[in-house]
Amino acid sequence: MLDLTDDDTLSDIGPDVAEDRRGKPFVASVGKCFQVLKAFRRGQTDLRQRDLGLTEICKLSGLDKSAAQRFSETLVTLGYLEKDPQTRRYRPGIALIDFYYTYMVSHRLAQIAMPILIEASKVYDTTVNLCELAGTDAIYTVRIPQAKASYGTMLAGRRVPAFCTAPGTVILANMPEDEADAVLAASDLRKITEQTVTEIPALKAQMAEARRLGYHVSDRQSQAHNVSTAAPVLRLDGQAVAAVHIPGYAPHWNLESVHEKLVPLAVDTARRISDSLTEAM
Amino acid sequence: MLDLTDDDTLSDIGPDVAEDRRGKPFVASVGKCFQVLKAFRRGQTDLRQRDLGLTEICKLSGLDKSAAQRFSETLVTLGYLEKDPQTRRYRPGIALIDFYYTYMVSHRLAQIAMPILIEASKVYDTTVNLCELAGTDAIYTVRIPQAKASYGTMLAGRRVPAFCTAPGTVILANMPEDEADAVLAASDLRKITEQTVTEIPALKAQMAEARRLGYHVSDRQSQAHNVSTAAPVLRLDGQAVAAVHIPGYAPHWNLESVHEKLVPLAVDTARRISDSLTEAM
DNA sequence: AACTTTGTATCACAATGCGATACTTTGTTC
DNA sequence: GAACAAAGTATCGCATTGTGATACAAAGTT
């Protein structure tokens, strides 16, 4: 009944440490509390399970039992986890949602893009997404969903690997080459489907092509049956800040119809957002 | 150009401490780091400003300069804040979005509700929301937006006071009376507009009426020019777990047309979700 | 150029978080 | 249903870790 199966690839939640921030003050307890929260994301994608026991939190967070207990209880007190008094298991708390709002409310790009994306979604009654690059992942920040999509693909916050997805490709294609190279070098270049391209030269050729064309079509590179397209949102200086992504799900859309209809829609939508952006920034 | 003005009431981010959790282990550093993150939410609604300097973080979080620095830098290292090297100001980091996904992906109610809400939004081309109660606030967890709405009202994670909004009223009306009373008692019963009802007896009468009718129409109680309606999503035992909320914005909708069209839509949508729920739970 | 404001670095102290250990409860097996 | 295993909770002395007053540096302002 509850089908959590997802057809596309998920990324884990990113590296635990950032760049060269050594020397900066760092409060270890804070890092550990986020390890606990991350455990729930890992736990969910792995086990399709909504809540975790203390022992599972230990394993998924890498903390010992005492620490896991302390931080879990702390997070319950703060409302970021909830604890079932019966089962004594923990689950994500509703207060977590606050941070989405905190991030998005100050996000000018999303603010500008939202109405344009909504309009676009109506043209062919399709899902339309806005993606941004975060490390080696593309994160969906705004999603205008359609009823037939699977639940996981309706949610903002989803991460997918940049190198093998249409939105990732167009963003990488329109950023400084050395930065793009760094992302590829840091990426875990695994074959997700049979079609996934994993060789750096082939990927760079794809990116060059995407840059030339102004869009990219991902033909079952990360999803077995689906074709999706993306076009870059560009700053005045030509650098990509995001991508408009439109998936074409299997029965209804194919390579041909995506090229004919969704590609122009994605390109046009991204261009409209880019134009509005440069005015405001 | 960038209009961040919002027409409805926002709640602050909730109490800093929960119930009677004394005795439970608590890591103070973790609490303080969340004070810093909350500062950004406060800062944004107050100042309509996207980033905060260290001194502002001090004021908004209640921490001293050293602590503010330590926790801000820690959060930067973890990716939950970003720091502009030029201005040395901090802003929310994209990694914050991860927690929305973490919460939502395991949320069976949202999963069930999403397609039904999408369908409903197409009937009159309106925004349709799913709200849940958190403390004295109603939090929007799922929003199907329409292009004409203001940005703030498109975002999941928004909090509004329960007592003076339609979704809050229908949820309070369909929960154990003592719990509802407790929520009202804890609420900050301020007049938001001229029409806001703030007397407990009047509020309880409203709730009784909402319970009898199966819906509630909020006539400019929290928004000066708008009328909105909500209907409860009920568990098999009749307890509310959420509310379907449909706002009727001013020029297009009025009290009459809301009653005629949006009320039946909200009631029907909430009932369809309730029915799917009980099967699954 | 003098001043104010804001951000960064330092460091000795002890409070605070740590985690090994022991205890209690749940639920699993025979 | 007794015996056992596994998961969750409580305890507590130690020293690690975070603390915050102070001093310093770098931007902004007059």
Side-chain angles (χ1 to χ4, degrees), chain A residues 170 206 209-217 229-232 259 263 266-267:
Chain A
V170 296
Q206 251 182 20
E209 176 83 350
R211 188 185 170 97
R212 197 172 59 75
L213 293 173
Y215 66 85
H216 184 69
V217 172
T229 185
H259 267 105
V263 165
V267 169

Side-chain angles (χ1 to χ4, degrees), chain B residues 207-259:
Chain B
M207 285 161 46
E209 176 83 350
R211 188 186 171 97
R212 199 173 58 75
L213 293 173
Y215 66 87
H216 185 68
V217 172
S218 165
D219 183 10
R220 288 160 289 171
Q221 296 232 346
S222 69
Q223 305 193 7
H225 307 295
N226 301 322
V227 182
S228 72
T229 184
V233 175
L234 304 171
R235 263 194 269 121
L236 201 53
D237 62 5
Q239 297 303 303
V241 294
V244 171
H245 172 241
I246 306 181
Y249 290 111
H252 199 74
W253 295 95
N254 56 44
L255 196 51
E256 199 180 342
S257 60
V258 166
H259 268 105

Side-chain angles (χ1 to χ4, degrees), chain B residues 63-165:
Chain B
L63 302 172
D64 62 41
K65 200 163 59 161
S66 297
Q69 187 197 188
R70 250 198 313 279
F71 290 109
S72 299
E73 290 297 340
T74 300
L75 289 167
V76 170
T77 302
L78 294 169
Y80 301 114
L81 289 181
E82 288 163 11
K83 186 178 186 179
D84 187 317
Q86 303 305 316
T87 65
R88 298 144 191 233
R89 294 171 73 79
Y90 300 84
R91 73 168 62 83
I94 193 168
L96 287 177
I97 292 194
D98 289 332
F99 299 125
Y100 176 75
Y101 188 85
T102 299
Y103 179 71
M104 292 299 284
V105 78
S106 67
H107 201 332
R108 304 171 84 188
L109 168 62
Q111 180 173 19
I112 290 163
M114 191 87 95
I116 299 171
L117 295 169
I118 293 170
E119 293 297 334
S121 78
K122 290 185 179 160
V123 176
Y124 301 115
D125 222 45
T126 54
T127 299
V128 175
N129 301 309
L130 189 74
C131 279
E132 294 173 60
L133 189 69
T136 63
D137 293 331
I139 298 191
Y140 293 93
T141 48
V142 180
R143 314 197 78 166
I144 313 297
Q146 290 303 316
K148 49 216 165 199
S150 74
Y151 180 61
T153 61
M154 294 176 177
L155 293 178
R158 165 169 282 234
R159 286 169 177 261
V160 296
F163 82 93
C164 65
T165 52

